[in-house]
Amino acid sequence: MQACTALAFNLRRKTEFLVALADYSVKCFDTETQELVSWMRGHDSSVSSISVHGSGRYAITTSTDTAQLWDLDTFQRKRKLNVRQSVGIQQVFFLPLSNTILSCFKDNSVFAWEFDTLHCKYQLPTAVEGSALHYKVFAVTRDGRIFVAGGKSNHLHLWCLESKQLVRIIQMPTEVRAVRHLEFLPDSFDGGSNQVLGVLSQDNIMRFISIETYKILFVIGSHEEGISTAAISPNGRYIASVMENGSLNLYSVQALTQEVNKPPPPLFKVVEDWPKCKSEANKLTRRVTSGRSEQPWKSKGSKIHTRLLKVQMNAPLENKENELPGGLNKKRLQALLKGYGEYPAKYRMFVWRSLLQLPENHLAFSSLIDKGTHSAFVNIQNEYPLKSRKLLRVLQRTLSALAHWSAIFGETPYIPLLAFPFVKLFQNNQLICFEVVATVVVNFCQHWFEYFPNPPVNILSMMENILAHHDKELLQHLIKYSVTSQVYAWPLLETLFSEVLTREEWLKVFDNIFSNHPSYFLMIVVAYIICSRAPLLLCNQSQDFEYFFHHRNNLDINTVIKRAYHLMETTPPDIHPQRVLDDFMPLTKGQYPVFNKYPKFIVDYQTQERERIRQDEIEYLRERQLVHELEAKAQERKAEDEAFYRKQELLREAEEQRRKMVLEEEEKLAERRRRLAAVRRELKVKELQFLDASRRRFLKYQQDWRQTELKRLDDDIARKKASMREQETAATVQDIEVRQMELESQRQLFEQRLIKDQEAITQEMREEMDERQRKADLEDHIVQRWIETDREERQKAQMVAEENLAKAEQKCIDHEWRLQALYKLRSDDEDREKRYEEIAKLLHDNRVKEAELLKAMREAEEKKWEEVTWRKAQLEEEQKAAAAADKHRKQFLEDEMNDALELAEKLQREDGYFERLRDLKSRRAERGVEFQQVPKSANICLNDLCASQSSSHTSLAGRQELARQEWELMAEVRQLRQKLTARAQTRRPPAHISPTRWTT
């Protein structure tokens, strides 16, 4: 339910294809399973194009803000190209047949990136002034050399990516205002240098133009039935276009170019220089005109004057036979060749095509190419390593086509040497290359394959006869040193002089070979040998002769050509090769002729042997692959085993380490427990000391306070007595002295009464303050007792928790002891089982002693059972005695505690603590406190009682007596506990009794 924005095919897995959707995602589907293979996300805007690498393994998706590189094996993003938002990306794509990525931006900048390292290789320079346009669409030829860009203009910029220069500006017709799509028309025979460019403009018409002649070759679409988009098949045979009305039209390129491919009438051309333009933009600009394409030999930008060459009807029959395709005449070409020694380099290929009368059978050649690479040339790069991959690919296709045409060429070892010069010369047109090689083999290699797989002995003998006739001395010299024609003639024949001549010399030689009878090829070989007689006569070793005919030599090729013509004329007819070789016979049109001039049974046998060897090799490779897989599996299994044992060893070491750690932790825990117990004991002692010190400090404080009060009272009484005596004495003296002063006496008496009243009020207030002080002290004492009571309860709860923890630890120790006992019993059982097996084996070997041994075992068993019975009875007696002792001890402790509690109750009856002691006694009876805990509780209670008694009514001597009794009672309880512990240690089980039974 998403709109599609881009599609891409030709992945490494041919059944898969990529789809870019409107939700900014890219999906991969499989056409066979019709399922989703992967889902790739990462774009923030719609994907406008998808470019797939030639290997099908990588893809580049492009949107307006970014381009992303994907690995189609893992569907993971490898790299991401980010640009400024103000610039924007037009398109990013792979160049065909290369590892270069081309990125085109909206500011007309074009960058080339190295795919492996993603480093910038180069940037195309800015366009010429006056010719700038906004690039929108782009196209690249299959060989990656030519780059075309267009946009909102009727101009196209033609860039050469090798020189990185703008080579042409193509101006489309005036009705074209903008270019919507560009695509080159592939050709199977142009070697990837596409010459036809399809231009879809804003008027929905697609024009196909030639970038060499700037002519419109044909047009598809119209104003009434416009084209929305178009695509061209990889082989260039069909064009598919989506029309504006929704229909899909399929065009045949062969039918569209039928009128264009018609041969033109003979032309006589006069070439003039093109006038120089004023500006650089005008120099590059070429206008596109309608009409038929010019021929390849036409000079770009030259004026042409033509006149028709009328054929005379009364010409002799010989002239008719000399007429060649293209309006050429063989006699005139031979005269031109004798005059200049070679054909013009500009027209050589056209002349050769006319001399060889190539049929240009496109369909027949396509059928040979479609058969694929021949098995004999699959690994040709190993035998003939070429630097140019394109040249190697063309050589492989040409040789494969020859092998599919005739089986002999797949078995001939020297056919690559023979075809290589023509492949290098016609690498951009594979059809012409194949037909030239086939024509050379059919006409100039006559009778070569009759003695296959040996060299053509008949041809070599014929050349030896010619050499003997024209230079007998040289032949005798060669015979003297055992140099046969297979040494001095065959290397020149099988390589077609490509090893001994330069390119210019080789072209000049084959200008003459193609213009003469096929026998001239043999004559030029003999002429080369005769012209080299001086250095050959100086050679006296076979290696020197072989080296001479496989390397270039200082020889004038014009002399060799003239000598060959001389040999053609002076050789007697009885030894002349023309007598044996047929005249030139061109290839037939439509279908290539059958080539079977070779021993078919030998070729078939070699083919069968080669196929058998290939099958054996495949079987060997399969077996070797299987062995490698088995070895890999064995290594993997071995590695797994080693890893397993290593892991087990590590686990064992880890287990040992953990056991050691557990033991260390247990030791540390035991040590911590011992330290904690010591700390607890120390804290308890400190607590008792602190209580005793607090009690003594309180008693001292109370004694000091009372002494202070007594002293204050004594001082008050003394002060009062002294003041009263002084007043009475003064009154008496005053009464005696001033008896007569009655008024003054009354006044003094009144003042004395007032003072007495004031003292009475003061005394009442002091007594009231003392009463309040006593009440506050009583309340403080009650609060203190409440705090002590709460602390006592917390101590009891802590003691209960410690008791529960101790019980749990004891149970854990008991269970662990039982578990160890079970392990020991199991180990004893296993040892006993092994011992029984050994005994059974001994019984089997010693049947005679079986009865005696059985009897002895029974006697031993009876004794053991008697001993077990005795031990069991002894154990029961000991248990009964221990139970009675425990009962007696508990009763004794209870009696002692009851006596102590009664004593404390009697002492504390006046202070109101009887109820608290009764509750303590009832709780102790309910909870069943063990005898180890009773002394501690008794000590605490006695301490509290003694403290209370001493603080209230007991004198200092009474308090000391109570403290002494308390410590004596604690010492007796401690001695009793030590005795019980010693007695329990003396009752440990005997060594022969199982711990399990003892525990039970």
Side-chain angles (χ1 to χ4, degrees):
M1 304 303 294
Q2 290 286 339
C4 172
T5 59
L7 282 170
F9 299 88
N10 299 326
L11 307 187
R12 189 157 72 170
R13 292 177 286 273
K14 299 303 181 183
T15 59
E16 295 180 358
F17 64 96
L18 299 176
V19 182
L21 301 177
D23 60 352
Y24 313 152
S25 65
V26 180
K27 294 184 179 181
C28 180
F29 290 95
D30 194 311
T31 57
E32 289 185 351
T33 61
Q34 298 181 3
E35 294 180 353
L36 176 65
V37 178
S38 180
W39 193 345
M40 296 172 284
R41 289 184 176 273
H43 284 278
D44 296 329
S45 57
S46 61
V47 177
S48 58
S49 66
I50 303 176
S51 176
V52 181
H53 189 260
S55 63
R57 183 178 177 182
Y58 304 98
I60 295 178
T61 56
T62 306
S63 60
T64 56
D65 55 350
T66 183
Q68 300 184 10
L69 177 63
W70 303 87
D71 188 339
L72 298 183
D73 286 344
T74 60
F75 295 101
Q76 297 292 328
R77 185 176 65 188
K78 295 188 65 179
R79 297 296 287 270
K80 181 178 181 181
L81 175 64
N82 291 321
V83 296
R84 294 193 303 270
Q85 189 174 3
S86 59
V87 178
I89 301 175
Q90 286 287 7
Q91 191 173 355
V92 181
F93 55 91
F94 288 102
L95 286 182
L97 307 176
S98 69
N99 281 335
T100 304
I101 300 175
L102 214 62
S103 59
C104 308
F105 300 95
K106 292 184 178 180
D107 59 354
N108 285 1
S109 59
V110 179
F111 291 85
W113 310 84
E114 184 67 33
F115 171 66
D116 297 330
T117 61
L118 291 177
H119 292 163
C120 183
K121 294 176 65 177
Y122 56 84
Q123 178 185 0
L124 295 183
T126 56
V128 183
E129 294 183 3
S131 62
L133 58 93
H134 296 290
Y135 292 162
K136 292 293 185 182
V137 290
F138 313 92
V140 182
T141 57
R142 289 175 60 192
D143 58 2
R145 294 181 179 180
I146 303 299
F147 171 70
V148 181
K152 293 183 178 181
S153 173
N154 64 341
H155 288 78
L156 301 176
H157 285 186
L158 196 69
W159 294 85
C160 178
L161 296 181
E162 292 182 343
S163 62
K164 306 173 188 60
Q165 296 295 330
L166 180 64
V167 294
R168 288 289 183 273
I169 299 176
I170 302 176
Q171 183 178 358
M172 296 296 293
T174 55
E175 55 266 20
V176 177
R177 297 189 302 275
V179 179
R180 292 170 46 200
H181 181 66
L182 292 174
E183 189 167 0
F184 279 99
L185 181 64
D187 191 347
S188 302
F189 315 115
D190 58 6
S193 59
N194 311 131
Q195 304 297 320
V196 180
L197 175 66
V199 182
L200 179 61
S201 57
Q202 91 288 343
D203 56 359
N204 301 328
I205 297 176
M206 193 167 188
R207 299 170 178 85
F208 287 84
I209 64 173
S210 172
I211 61 175
E212 290 290 334
T213 61
Y214 318 111
K215 296 285 186 180
I216 297 179
L217 304 181
F218 58 90
V219 176
I220 60 175
S222 62
H223 294 288
E224 293 79 12
E225 191 177 2
I227 297 176
S228 177
T229 183
I232 303 175
S233 62
N235 57 11
R237 297 182 183 179
Y238 303 101
I239 302 173
S241 64
V242 179
M243 314 306 290
E244 287 188 325
N245 58 9
S247 61
L248 180 68
N249 289 3
L250 194 65
Y251 298 92
S252 172
V253 177
Q254 184 178 3
L256 294 171
T257 58
Q258 186 174 7
E259 187 67 23
V260 179
N261 292 332
K262 286 185 177 181
L267 300 175
F268 178 78
K269 302 173 182 59
V270 179
V271 180
E272 296 180 359
D273 292 335
W274 183 264
K276 295 183 178 181
C277 299
K278 295 181 180 180
S279 65
E280 187 178 356
N282 292 332
K283 290 180 181 179
L284 298 175
T285 304
R286 297 290 184 270
R287 294 181 181 274
V288 176
T289 59
S290 60
R292 193 161 41 171
S293 170
E294 297 174 357
Q295 291 299 324
W297 62 85
K298 177 182 176 181
S299 175
K300 298 181 181 68
S302 62
K303 292 183 178 180
I304 301 174
H305 302 280
T306 62
R307 61 185 179 89
L308 297 176
L309 301 178
K310 298 181 179 180
V311 181
Q312 299 179 2
M313 299 302 295
N314 56 354
L317 183 61
E318 183 179 358
N319 291 338
K320 291 183 179 180
E321 293 177 354
N322 290 327
E323 291 296 331
L324 297 175
L328 301 181
N329 186 275
K330 190 173 184 179
K331 288 296 184 181
R332 292 181 180 178
L333 290 176
Q334 289 176 349
L336 180 64
L337 184 62
K338 288 182 180 180
Y340 293 96
E342 60 179 338
Y343 294 123
K346 194 171 185 179
Y347 308 117
R348 177 178 281 119
M349 299 300 105
F350 174 69
V351 173
W352 281 14
R353 291 168 66 179
S354 299
L355 288 173
L356 298 178
Q357 303 178 30
L358 301 180
E360 299 186 14
N361 298 327
H362 291 272
L363 295 178
F365 178 70
S366 297
S367 64
L368 295 176
I369 291 294
D370 293 341
K371 292 181 180 180
T373 304
H374 195 271
S375 60
F377 305 109
V378 172
N379 299 320
I380 191 174
Q381 67 274 5
N382 299 332
E383 188 175 357
Y384 300 98
L386 297 178
K387 186 176 181 180
S388 174
R389 296 182 61 84
K390 175 185 176 183
L391 191 61
L392 178 64
R393 187 167 57 253
V394 175
L395 176 63
Q396 189 179 41
R397 289 181 180 178
T398 304
L399 296 178
S400 299
L402 290 172
H404 290 310
W405 175 43
S406 181
I408 183 65
F409 300 121
E411 307 295 332
T412 307
Y414 55 84
I415 196 67
L417 300 175
L418 186 145
F420 180 73
F422 299 103
V423 170
K424 192 170 184 180
L425 194 62
F426 297 98
Q427 58 180 321
N428 292 331
N429 197 330
Q430 298 179 34
L431 172 64
I432 301 301
C433 178
F434 170 77
E435 292 187 348
V436 168
V437 175
T439 304
V440 169
V441 170
V442 171
N443 293 278
F444 299 94
C445 299
Q446 297 182 35
H447 308 290
W448 279 28
F449 308 99
E450 293 178 357
Y451 293 91
F452 181 82
N454 299 316
V457 180
N458 49 351
I459 300 297
L460 297 178
S461 300
M462 192 184 309
M463 298 171 64
E464 188 173 355
N465 294 333
I466 298 172
L467 181 59
H469 178 77
H470 292 282
D471 197 339
K472 192 171 185 179
E473 180 185 0
L474 179 58
L475 180 61
Q476 291 298 328
H477 178 74
L478 296 174
I479 294 173
K480 177 181 179 182
Y481 292 102
S482 302
V483 179
T484 62
S485 57
Q486 295 186 13
V487 177
Y488 62 79
W490 180 237
L492 302 177
L493 290 175
E494 67 178 355
T495 61
L496 300 182
F497 291 95
S498 60
E499 288 184 344
V500 297
L501 299 179
T502 63
R503 175 184 174 88
E504 291 74 16
E505 292 174 347
W506 188 86
L507 293 173
K508 189 180 294 185
V509 167
F510 271 87
D511 284 344
N512 291 272
I513 292 175
F514 289 158
S515 301
N516 291 281
H517 191 271
S519 59
Y520 180 79
F521 180 39
L522 304 181
M523 290 298 183
I524 204 166
V525 174
V526 177
Y528 184 87
I529 298 171
I530 293 175
C531 293
S532 305
R533 68 188 311 275
L536 290 175
L537 291 175
L538 297 176
C539 298
N540 53 13
Q541 294 183 2
S542 59
Q543 293 84 357
D544 296 340
F545 289 102
E546 292 177 0
Y547 182 86
F548 184 84
F549 290 105
H550 283 280
H551 293 80
R552 295 178 182 177
N553 304 293
N554 189 12
L555 191 65
D556 186 10
I557 197 63
N558 294 321
T559 305
V560 175
I561 293 173
K562 292 179 181 179
R563 178 58 66 90
Y565 279 112
H566 177 72
L567 294 178
M568 285 287 290
E569 296 173 356
T570 59
T571 301
D574 55 342
I575 61 174
H576 200 289
Q578 195 170 1
R579 178 178 61 86
V580 179
L581 301 179
D582 299 332
D583 294 336
F584 179 82
M585 184 65 64
L587 299 178
T588 57
K589 288 186 176 291
Q591 294 292 333
Y592 297 116
V594 177
F595 187 84
N596 56 0
K597 297 178 181 178
Y598 58 87
K600 190 172 184 303
F601 68 95
I602 295 178
V603 175
D604 293 343
Y605 175 75
Q606 286 196 352
T607 304
Q608 294 174 2
E609 286 296 313
R610 186 186 297 275
E611 183 64 23
R612 184 183 62 80
I613 293 172
R614 190 176 68 84
Q615 293 295 334
D616 293 343
E617 184 178 1
I618 293 174
E619 183 66 21
Y620 166 72
L621 293 175
R622 189 183 64 79
E623 292 179 355
R624 188 175 67 177
Q625 181 67 22
L626 184 61
V627 169
H628 288 337
E629 291 178 357
L630 292 176
E631 290 179 355
K633 289 182 180 179
Q635 292 294 334
E636 184 179 359
R637 193 179 299 110
K638 183 178 178 182
E640 290 178 355
D641 294 341
E642 293 178 354
F644 173 76
Y645 289 121
R646 187 161 54 252
K647 186 176 181 180
Q648 292 298 322
E649 184 67 21
L650 292 175
L651 290 175
R652 188 182 63 78
E653 294 177 357
E655 184 179 0
E656 292 294 333
Q657 186 177 4
R658 297 299 187 279
R659 287 181 179 176
K660 292 179 180 179
M661 292 173 63
V662 169
L663 291 177
E664 293 176 357
E665 291 296 329
E666 289 179 354
E667 292 177 358
K668 292 180 181 179
L669 183 61
E671 183 65 23
R672 290 174 184 169
R673 288 176 179 173
R674 289 193 294 271
R675 291 180 181 177
L676 183 60
V679 170
R680 286 179 179 175
R681 288 194 299 272
E682 185 177 357
L683 290 175
K684 185 60 71 176
V685 171
K686 288 182 178 180
E687 182 180 0
L688 293 175
Q689 293 176 356
F690 178 75
L691 290 174
D692 185 61
S694 299
R695 185 171 61 254
R696 290 180 181 182
R697 187 169 57 253
F698 178 75
L699 293 175
K700 184 179 180 181
Y701 170 76
Q702 192 175 18
Q703 185 178 1
D704 294 341
W705 179 75
R706 290 187 177 183
Q707 289 178 359
T708 304
E709 287 291 328
L710 290 174
K711 186 177 180 180
R712 186 176 60 81
L713 292 174
D714 293 338
D715 292 339
D716 290 341
I717 293 170
R719 187 172 57 256
K720 288 179 180 180
K721 287 180 179 181
S723 61
M724 289 177 67
R725 187 167 50 249
E726 289 175 356
Q727 288 176 1
E728 289 176 357
T729 303
T732 303
V733 172
Q734 288 177 4
D735 189 32
I736 292 173
E737 291 178 355
V738 285
R739 190 178 295 267
Q740 298 173 359
M741 300 173 68
E742 191 173 12
L743 183 62
E744 185 69 18
S745 297
Q746 291 178 359
R747 186 182 60 81
Q748 291 179 357
L749 183 61
F750 180 74
E751 289 179 356
Q752 187 177 5
R753 289 177 181 177
L754 291 176
I755 291 170
K756 288 181 178 181
D757 294 337
Q758 185 67 30
E759 287 179 356
I761 293 171
T762 303
Q763 183 66 25
E764 290 177 0
M765 291 180 65
R766 184 177 294 137
E767 289 177 358
E768 186 177 356
M769 290 177 65
D770 292 340
E771 184 67 24
R772 288 186 179 181
Q773 184 67 31
R774 283 194 298 271
K775 289 182 179 180
D777 293 340
L778 182 60
E779 290 177 357
D780 293 340
H781 181 71
I782 294 172
V783 171
Q784 186 68 25
R785 293 306 302 168
W786 176 72
I787 293 172
E788 290 178 359
T789 304
D790 184 64
R791 184 172 63 249
E792 205 174 288
E793 293 297 330
R794 286 200 304 271
Q795 289 178 355
K796 289 180 180 180
Q798 184 178 0
M799 290 173 60
V800 172
E802 290 177 355
E803 180 182 355
N804 294 334
L805 180 61
K807 287 182 180 180
E809 291 179 354
Q810 185 63 34
K811 287 184 180 181
C812 181
I813 293 171
D814 294 342
H815 287 304
E816 184 177 0
W817 189 15
R818 291 181 182 181
L819 185 63
Q820 291 178 358
L822 289 176
Y823 286 158
K824 187 173 181 181
L825 287 175
R826 187 179 298 171
S827 177
D828 293 341
D829 293 341
E830 292 177 356
D831 295 341
R832 192 183 298 110
E833 185 177 357
K834 292 181 181 178
R835 192 161 59 250
Y836 284 167
E837 291 178 356
E838 294 176 358
I839 291 172
K841 185 176 181 181
L842 292 175
L843 288 174
H844 180 73
D845 296 335
N846 302 294
R847 293 288 185 181
V848 179
K849 297 181 180 181
E850 183 177 1
E852 297 178 359
L853 182 61
L854 181 61
K855 185 177 179 181
M857 289 178 63
R858 288 177 178 176
E859 292 177 356
E861 185 178 3
E862 290 176 357
K863 291 180 180 180
K864 290 290 181 181
W865 278 111
E866 292 177 357
E867 184 178 359
V868 168
T869 304
W870 179 75
R871 294 291 183 185
K872 186 174 181 182
Q874 187 179 3
L875 177 62
E876 291 177 354
E877 293 176 358
E878 290 291 335
Q879 289 178 351
K880 291 178 180 179
D886 291 342
K887 184 176 180 182
H888 178 71
R889 183 176 65 258
K890 290 181 179 179
Q891 184 63 35
F892 172 75
L893 290 175
E894 288 179 358
D895 294 341
E896 291 294 330
M897 286 303 303
N898 291 330
D899 294 339
L901 292 175
E902 288 176 358
L903 178 61
E905 185 180 70
K906 187 183 294 181
L907 292 174
Q908 299 297 329
R909 186 172 300 163
E910 296 179 359
D911 293 335
Y913 286 92
F914 179 73
E915 294 296 330
R916 179 166 168 263
L917 290 175
R918 183 181 300 170
D919 294 340
L920 178 64
K921 185 176 179 181
S922 62
R923 284 198 301 270
R924 183 178 61 82
E926 290 175 358
R927 294 180 181 178
V929 180
E930 295 182 359
F931 70 93
Q932 289 88 351
Q933 298 173 351
V934 172
K936 294 183 181 180
S937 302
N939 291 338
I940 294 171
C941 295
L942 289 175
N943 290 336
D944 294 338
L945 294 173
C946 292
S948 300
Q949 182 66 24
S950 61
S951 63
S952 58
H953 299 286
T954 308
S955 63
L956 181 61
R959 289 196 301 271
Q960 292 178 353
E961 182 65 22
L962 288 175
R964 186 180 59 78
Q965 293 178 1
E966 176 185 351
W967 286 109
E968 288 178 357
L969 181 60
M970 290 175 64
E972 291 177 0
V973 172
R974 192 179 297 110
Q975 291 177 2
L976 181 59
R977 185 181 300 171
Q978 291 177 356
K979 289 180 181 180
L980 292 175
T981 304
R983 186 176 180 182
Q985 290 179 354
T986 58
R987 293 179 57 200
R988 289 182 178 176
H992 65 275
I993 297 179
S994 173
T996 305
R997 297 179 183 178
W998 176 260
T999 304
T1000 305

